[in-house]
Amino acid sequence: MFTGIVTDIGEIVSFTPVAQGQLHRLRIACRYDQATIADGASIASNGVCLTVVASGVADGKTWYEVDTGAETLALTTAKHWKLGTRLNLERALKIGDELGGHIVAGHVDGIATIVSREDLPDMARFELSTTRELARFIATKGSITLDGVSLTVNTVKDATFSVLIIPHTLTVTTIGGWKAGDEVNIEVDLMARYAARLTEMK
């Protein structure tokens, strides 16, 4: 489990297709202490929960490796990742950690497309669109995770919604580089999903 509070920005430094292209082994450089990264640990990368299979230090910088499978490549923006891609990173939540965002599973529900970007003094407003299936879980003032970042929904209209990004978030995540036409991973709020399921069962 995660909270959607990004703790580092990593960079893909190696990208190797394996298993006849059905799997990709990624090496991601980061600023985490390598001694704290165990094989089998979960690290969310742009909102995708991935399992560490190896780690080490090269040129004074920590790296770790993960595998992305066919489903991840098909359903998330991982299909666009390449050498040099920058990723929002978050370590798995530990009991007793501060819950600064909201409960995030790291199981991406789909993709949202950035419709527009409006730069404001020190802030930015993004309008995004997604599928109607996912839009029914998105509500004004509700929580949403975009590329692994816990955000509050600003407005909703049909399958389009907006978020307002504060200066700190623009600085410490990859959101500062978003532009119209980009695709981002979306995970809807678990509470909204359960509420919808309960309503359907009545």
Side-chain angles (χ1 to χ4, degrees):
M1 301 298 289
F2 306 91
T3 69
I5 302 300
V6 171
T7 53
D8 194 13
I9 295 178
E11 180 180 344
I12 297 176
V13 294
S14 176
F15 191 95
T16 309
V18 293
Q20 290 76 51
Q22 295 301 304
L23 202 68
H24 288 79
R25 174 68 57 86
L26 307 182
R27 177 173 289 192
I28 300 170
C30 65
R31 293 177 297 177
Y32 295 140
D33 181 354
Q34 190 269 331
T36 68
I37 302 176
D39 288 358
S42 295
I43 299 179
S45 306
N46 270 15
V48 183
C49 178
L50 298 173
T51 302
V52 174
V53 296
S55 65
V57 176
D59 299 322
K61 196 161 189 177
T62 297
W63 59 263
Y64 66 92
E65 292 184 344
V66 294
D67 290 329
T68 55
E71 183 174 5
T72 299
L73 294 171
L75 300 179
T76 75
T77 61
K79 59 178 173 284
H80 302 310
W81 296 354
K82 57 185 183 298
L83 284 178
T85 295
R86 298 168 74 240
L87 304 170
N88 294 318
L89 305 181
E90 182 185 358
R91 307 289 298 272
L93 181 66
K94 296 178 181 177
I95 299 298
D97 282 354
E98 179 180 344
L99 186 60
H102 70 283
I103 296 296
V104 175
H107 302 156
V108 171
D109 292 301
I111 290 174
T113 301
I114 298 173
V115 176
S116 65
R117 171 176 178 155
E118 179 186 3
D119 287 305
L120 305 167
D122 297 323
M123 296 187 293
R125 178 182 287 110
F126 293 89
E127 186 177 72
L128 305 96
S129 64
T130 189
T131 63
R132 293 185 64 84
E133 170 62 25
L134 291 180
R136 68 193 184 101
F137 300 115
I138 302 173
T140 301
K141 307 301 182 186
S143 296
I144 196 164
T145 307
L146 299 176
D147 268 359
V149 184
S150 173
L151 298 169
T152 300
V153 177
N154 194 226
T155 62
V156 180
K157 184 178 180 180
D158 196 35
T160 301
F161 64 97
S162 69
V163 291
L164 185 64
I165 310 300
I166 63 174
H168 176 77
T169 305
L170 287 171
T171 301
V172 301
T173 73
T174 63
I175 293 178
W178 286 4
K179 60 186 183 301
D182 286 349
E183 292 183 336
V184 298
N185 292 318
I186 179 172
E187 181 182 331
V188 299
D189 186 15
L190 283 173
M191 298 302 180
R193 185 175 289 282
Y194 283 124
R197 181 59 176 162
L198 287 170
T199 300
E200 291 169 359
M201 294 299 290
K202 288 183 179 178

